């Protein structure tokens, strides 16, 4: 069977060679060989070719040279792996030529497809990929009728599997009008079989972004993808020549293809212990077959409610015109409050709605006040965990299809859609979701959960004032929590599933670089799962209080990086900074000419004064390497009292994108006043002031930025 597939793939490669050669010839004729180009939002040229061959292609001369190499290889080699990789390379070239010629991939369609999958979204989803919230990546391609397709997609969404759609199934899905996008876990990529290479690009780039692999180390990168990227494909309908060639390319990376055709299994033991082609004709079992083939263990936590549930529905908006009923949002009084109680004070799994005539009021729709009190008790429960659980109410409610939640504490806002109401969602279900998911996700620290929903305004106003007093007590406690006060820090090793050398150390004053974990979050995570990715780090001896060097931290990092990292300073970018995995929210980069640093956030696509975009800098520092002068950080670290303490602190900040400045303005101003530089915020440049170093220096001199008067940052 494999020999037959190889012959079919040869024919597909030959046809694509002819087609691409003509396109390349015409493109060079129109634009000349010196024409430069780049795929959107990546610094890797043509990522697959760059990763596996170490060749960065950014102009038509280089593209033509590599094309000729493929053409020559086709006439000389019959090796299956070389043939398969060449087909993938050629597909990448063909699609890149479409971008060069500004031919939109949806030119013949009324629908808009995603096309090339940029680095920014890959980094944005990085935390979900490494912590298991996205346990796998699926590719659906071929042709299938709408009802069967939507049923399969819904199952994949509920299992939290990020799914890419290729070809006819992509158009069929878009015709349905269903919500799509990365936040929905459903991404229609393009109309051609070749567009599958964009997903393979995505998988291979993970080795560079997160894994610290070296471009051109083909064997190591292929092995990385085989072992660390949980991916599979499901193909509907007969496999044409292009589909067979693409399946062989996927097989090289140990990505199995599940087909609905009557075909025998194809196994290649030296690549994978599971079949790389297998069949399942029953569509109700095809997702399960794919998961079992790939050897995945996916546990779905779902409360007993009449709508679908899972992270794929978390980004769903319920617009005003689609709303059946809403609570809070400054339109009615509302709050949510998690309270630690004695075991005797909590009636386990009880959901009670307290108020007058609440059933009729709910059934009428419109607006209602709502006070949510979640009473929790457990032997391992601690007061510090109350806000950790409270923050998860947002996620618990949003993961229900047709329910929407924003805000926290006493500024929360909840909507239930008309569609969810028609499906049977009631006010009791709101409490049931909170109760069941609190027990499921915090089972190691919570033994009992009781949820009380108050709907009478008088009760809510009284209880809200009590809650506000508790919020203030918490904030005061957290504000006083310093690195010196606690006896241990916590690590986050979740990203080691992609970046084996990276060790993130989280302290009260230095949150995780991904922005997803504070010290309290990590502490709670350790209590919930003592053998998980968050572990206590004994501080040991304080070696340097300015740079933030501790003997216990050094020992821990050395051990868990496999000896790759010997020491780190928690408060410095210049001397042994902490490593980065690729999931960071922001990058701090030294700007020697300005004697300071700039900060650029993920999502900012413009140029920075050091002549590099976010994606370029990110490509330098990810993968668990220690890069003095560059460091990934979480947004909240910028306003920490320990921010770059060893290098001069916030006075070193000379440039940030305007969006980031506005995001941290209030917190930053408080810190600036405490540090004796109340006018610093206005003196920090952004892209509206300059994007080049000469202009930046002029601006800093004009406004009298303190960095210019400090000791040299590079010594």
């Amino acid at each position: 069977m494999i020999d037959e597939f190889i012959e079919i793939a040869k024919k597909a490669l030959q046809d694509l060679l002819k087609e691409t050669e003509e396109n390349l010839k015409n493109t060079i004729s129109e634009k000349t060989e010196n024409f430069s180009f780049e795929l959107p939002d990546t610094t890797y040229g043509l990522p697959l070719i760059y990763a596996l061959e170490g060749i960065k292609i950014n102009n038509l001369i280089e593209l033509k040279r590599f094309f000729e190499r493929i053409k020559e290889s086709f006439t000389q080699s019959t090796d299956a792996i070389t043939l398969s990789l060449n087909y993938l390379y050629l597909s990448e070239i063909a699609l890149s030529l479409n971008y060069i010629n500004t031919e939109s991939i949806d030119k013949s369609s009324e629908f808009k497809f995603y096309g090339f999958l940029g680095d920014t979204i890959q980094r944005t989803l990085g935390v979900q990929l490494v912590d298991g919230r996205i346990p796998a990546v699926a590719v659906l391609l071929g042709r299938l009728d709408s009802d069967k397709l939507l049923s399969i997609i819904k199952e994949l969404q509920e299992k939290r599997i990020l799914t890419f759609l290729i070809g006819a199934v992509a158009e069929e899905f878009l015709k349905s009008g269903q919500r799509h996008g990365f936040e929905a876990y459903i991404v229609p990529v393009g109309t051609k079989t070749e567009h599958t290479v964009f997903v393979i690009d995505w998988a291979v780039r993970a080795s560079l972004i997160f894994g610290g692999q070296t471009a051109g180390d083909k064997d190591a990168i292929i092995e990385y993808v085989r072992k660390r990227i949980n991916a599979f494909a499901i193909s509907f309908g007969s496999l044409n020549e292009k589909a067979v060639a693409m399946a062989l390319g996927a097989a090289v990376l140990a990505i199995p293809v599940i087909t609905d055709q009557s075909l025998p299994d194809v196994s290649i033991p030296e690549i994978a212990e599971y079949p790389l082609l297998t069949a399942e004709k029953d569509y109700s079992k095809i997702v399960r077959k794919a998961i079992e083939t790939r050897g995945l263990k996916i546990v779905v936590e779902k409360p007993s409610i009449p709508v679908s549930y899972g992270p794929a529905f978390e980004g769903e908006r319920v617009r005003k015109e689609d709303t059946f009923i809403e609570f809070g949002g400054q339109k009615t009084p509302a709050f949510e409050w998690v309270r630690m109680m004695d075991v005797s004070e909590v009636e386990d799994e009880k959901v009670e709605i307290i108020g007058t005539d609440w059933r009729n009021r709910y059934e009428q729709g419109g607006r209602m006040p709502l006070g949510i009190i979640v009473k929790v008790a457990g032997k391992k429960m601690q007061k510090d965990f109350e806000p950790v659980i409270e923050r998860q109410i947002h996620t618990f409610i949003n993961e229900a299809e047709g329910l929407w939640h924003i805000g926290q504490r006493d500024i929360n806002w909840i909507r239930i859609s008309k569609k969810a109401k028609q499906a049977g969602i009631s006010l009791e279900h709101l409490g049931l979701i909170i109760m069941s998911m609190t027990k499921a996700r915090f089972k190691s620290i919570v033994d009992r959960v009781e949820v009380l929903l108050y709907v009478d305004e008088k009760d809510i106003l009284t209880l809200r004032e009590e809650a506000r007093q508790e919020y203030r007590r918490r904030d005061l406690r957290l504000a006083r929590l310093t690195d010196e006060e606690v006896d241990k820090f916590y690590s986050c090793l979740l990203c080691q599933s992609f970046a084996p050398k990276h060790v993130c150390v989280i302290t009260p004053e230095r949150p995780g670089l991904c922005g997803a974990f504070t010290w309290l979050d990590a502490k709670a995570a350790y209590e919930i799962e003592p053998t998980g990715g968050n572990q206590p780090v004994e501080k040991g001896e304080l070696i340097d209080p300015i740079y933030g060097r501790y003997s216990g931290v050094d020992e821990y990092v050395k051990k868990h990086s496999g000896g790759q990292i010997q020491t780190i300073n928690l408060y410095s970018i210049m001397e042994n900074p902490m490593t980065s995995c690729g999931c960071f929210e922001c990058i701090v980069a030294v700007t020697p000419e300005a004697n300071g640093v700039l900060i650029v956030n993920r999502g900012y696509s413009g140029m920075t004064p050091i002549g590099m975009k976010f994606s370029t800098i990110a490509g330098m520092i990810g993968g668990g390497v220690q890069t003095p002068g560059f460091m990934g950080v979480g947004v909240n670290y910028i306003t920490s009292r320990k921010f770059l303490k060893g290098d001069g602190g916030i006075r070193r900040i000379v440039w940030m994108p305007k969006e980031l400045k506005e995001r941290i303005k209030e917190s930053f101003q408080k810190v600036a006043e405490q540090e004796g530089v109340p006018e610093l915020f206005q003196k920090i440049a952004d892209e509206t002031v300059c994007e080049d170093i000469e202009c930046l220096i002029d601006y800093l001199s004009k406004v009298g930025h303190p960095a210019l008067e400090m000791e040299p940052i590079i010594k």
Side-chain angles (χ1 to χ4, degrees), residues 114-142:
Y114 283 74
F116 181 77
L117 309 166
D119 292 350
T120 297
I121 189 64
Q122 188 157 22
R123 294 181 187 276
T124 301
L125 291 176
V127 180
Q128 296 181 54
L129 288 164
V130 301
D131 70 10
R133 277 178 288 168
I134 299 177
V137 173
V139 180
L140 306 189
L141 65 163

Side-chain angles (χ1 to χ4, degrees), residues 17 20-21 23-25 27-28 31-39 45-47 49-50 55-71 88-101:
L17 270 170
T20 306
E21 186 169 33
N23 194 358
L24 178 58
K25 179 181 177 181
T27 302
I28 291 174
K31 300 183 182 296
T32 79
E33 287 187 334
N34 294 317
F35 179 78
S36 297
F37 65 91
E38 61 180 14
L39 290 172
L46 274 60
I49 294 171
Y50 173 67
I55 300 171
K56 185 173 282 191
I57 296 175
N58 289 121
N59 60 51
L60 289 176
I61 295 176
E62 296 163 346
L63 190 66
K64 180 182 179 182
R65 190 177 299 131
F66 194 83
F67 174 83
E68 293 297 335
R69 172 177 155 177
I70 295 174
K71 188 176 178 181
L88 296 181
Y89 296 156
L90 194 58
S91 296
E92 189 173 49
I93 289 172
L95 293 175
S96 299
L97 287 171
N98 287 347
Y99 272 102
I100 293 169
N101 293 313

Side-chain angles (χ1 to χ4, degrees), residues 82-370:
T82 301
L83 174 72
S84 302
L85 290 179
N86 278 343
Y87 186 79
L88 296 181
Y89 296 156
L90 194 58
S91 296
E92 189 173 49
I93 289 172
L95 293 175
S96 299
L97 287 171
N98 287 347
Y99 272 102
I100 293 169
N101 293 313
T102 65
E103 293 179 8
S104 174
I105 60 171
D106 61 345
K107 187 173 181 180
S108 62
S109 171
E110 61 182 297
F111 301 113
K112 180 172 177 58
F113 298 89
Y114 283 74
F116 181 77
L117 309 166
D119 292 350
T120 297
I121 189 64
Q122 188 157 22
R123 294 181 187 276
T124 301
L125 291 176
V127 180
Q128 296 181 54
L129 288 164
V130 301
D131 70 10
R133 277 178 288 168
I134 299 177
V137 173
V139 180
L140 306 189
L141 65 163
R143 187 179 299 277
L144 190 66
D145 71 70
S146 182
D147 289 344
K148 292 186 179 71
L149 176 64
L150 292 179
S151 177
I152 288 170
I153 286 174
K154 182 78 71 170
E155 184 177 357
L156 289 164
Q157 284 180 308
E158 289 190 334
K159 286 179 167 49
R160 312 186 310 276
I161 294 172
L162 179 61
T163 303
F164 297 99
L165 306 178
I166 310 289
V169 292
E171 280 201 277
E172 191 66 40
F173 177 77
L174 289 174
K175 285 178 185 177
S176 72
Q178 299 288 316
R179 175 172 161 266
H180 57 83
F182 286 94
E183 68 284 353
Y185 286 37
I186 299 294
V187 183
V189 178
T191 57
K192 301 177 181 178
T193 303
E194 296 95 298
H195 286 125
T196 308
V197 83
F198 283 156
V199 185
I200 293 175
D201 274 351
W202 164 281
V204 168
R205 283 208 312 277
S207 70
L208 304 176
I209 290 174
F210 303 115
Q213 299 296 317
T214 303
D217 194 347
K218 183 189 299 183
D219 292 341
I221 289 174
I222 288 174
E223 189 65 14
Y224 180 95
V225 175
R226 288 176 180 177
K227 288 186 174 180
R228 297 185 181 271
I229 306 299
N230 294 327
F232 60 82
I234 301 177
S235 177
F236 305 107
S238 59
L239 295 173
N240 59 27
E241 292 172 349
K242 290 183 176 181
V244 169
M246 195 61 71
L248 283 178
V252 172
L253 299 169
I255 300 172
V257 176
I258 291 78
T259 176
D260 60 356
Q261 303 298 294
S262 297
L263 294 172
D265 285 2
V266 174
S267 296
I268 308 177
E270 56 268 32
I271 292 179
E273 60 187 16
Y274 47 82
L276 292 168
L277 177 71
T278 189
E280 177 55 71
K281 302 188 73 171
D282 186 338
Y283 295 114
S284 68
K285 298 177 181 178
I286 202 164
V287 171
R288 190 193 322 155
K289 181 66 173 283
I291 291 171
E292 290 173 351
T293 298
R294 196 63 180 82
L296 303 175
K297 305 293 183 184
I298 300 177
V299 178
V300 178
E301 297 169 342
K302 183 181 184 300
S304 181
I305 57 176
V307 295
S308 295
Y309 192 86
F313 307 104
E314 189 175 353
E316 175 189 19
R317 289 191 62 85
V318 177
R319 302 188 183 279
K320 182 178 180 180
E321 59 271 21
D322 300 321
T323 300
F324 167 69
I325 195 167
E326 62 183 338
F327 313 89
Q330 308 300 311
K331 298 174 183 179
T332 64
F335 71 92
E336 49 200 35
W337 181 16
V338 171
R339 303 183 63 187
M340 187 180 84
M341 313 291 288
D342 187 83
V343 172
S344 63
E345 299 175 288
V346 180
E347 187 175 340
D348 193 27
E349 299 191 3
K350 176 183 178 181
V351 174
E352 183 180 3
I353 302 172
I354 302 169
T356 56
D357 195 29
W358 64 266
R359 291 187 186 275
N360 286 335
R361 290 160 62 194
Y362 175 80
E363 291 299 327
Q364 289 171 11
R367 293 174 182 164
M368 284 180 69
L370 183 65

Side-chain angles (χ1 to χ4, degrees), residues 525-545:
Y526 171 68
E527 294 290 343
I528 292 166
E529 189 177 356
T531 59
N534 299 110
Q535 295 292 312
V537 180
E538 297 299 330
K539 292 164 62 175
E541 178 189 353
L542 177 57
I543 300 172
D544 192 320

